[in-house]
Amino acid sequence: MNRVVLLGTKGGPAIRAGGAMPTSSLLELDGRRVVIDCGLGVSKGLVEAGMDLKTLDLIFITHLHSDHILELGPLIHTAWTTGLKTPVTVYGPPGIEAYWAGFMASVSYDISIRVYDEGRTPLDEIVTVQAYDEGLVMDGPIKVQALRVPHPPIKDCFALRFDGSKSVTFSGDTAYFPPLASFAQGSDLLVHEALLPAGVETIIAKTGLGDKLRNHLYASHTKAADVGRIAHAAGVGRLALNHLVPADDPTIGPQDWLSQVAEAWDGPVDVGVDGLEIVL
Ligand SMILES: [Zn+2]
Ligand SMILES: [Zn+2]
């Protein structure tokens, strides 16, 4: 079955009781399983979505913000302790190698013990970490392309498009960026980040952060109404709102998101919740 499962759907690294987890997704396309972003909760999310972690083999990271990368190392390590022996490839922006080296250093004691005590394959022998840039990232039965998107102050943040028998585009974290519509043109599914201005002031009050956070949110993310504009211009088959800001405000419900998106988009749309499966 070709599907996308949104494992974690909140934007930003904080977690709260009863709330959604930071960003990660699973794409199953033509028999290949791909993990996109590894925010906190990705390992449990994959297991709950029915994936045997021993089969982990392909991961893409859109950028190095912690809500997209904090559980990358722990996911691979947990897959390894679950019995993973086969190669894993991680594609990430420049800097991904340093993350991986730092993670491996932090668990070197545990890994060396498990290699001699439990007879496991050394983890560094099965993991390849590769930095990518804009353009064609992976060719073959599934083609993967990257588009640099504006997410200041981060320079290396990418939207990713996967083409097989179906096409799926993930926006990454991005400010409103009309070229993304050309990049996503004709995708069966567009998974796009979204911000709801009505919820921003509550977040500012909750975190105790002021103008700097407010400025970051508006300069680096896409308002829900503009997400609808991208979906419309791209002519996608379906839209899913992801990386929701806010994701855990009890005064905001799906209808608040949908009414904004509806300014420009009248096609099928899902408001992301953790564990949501979208069949392609
Ligand atoms: Zn993010
Ligand atoms: Zn980000």
Side-chain angles (χ1 to χ4, degrees), residues 11-12 23 63 65 67-68 151 173 221 243:
T23 304
H63 65 300
H65 261 146
D67 51 322
H68 300 254
H151 185 48
D173 282 11
H221 296 285
H243 195 278

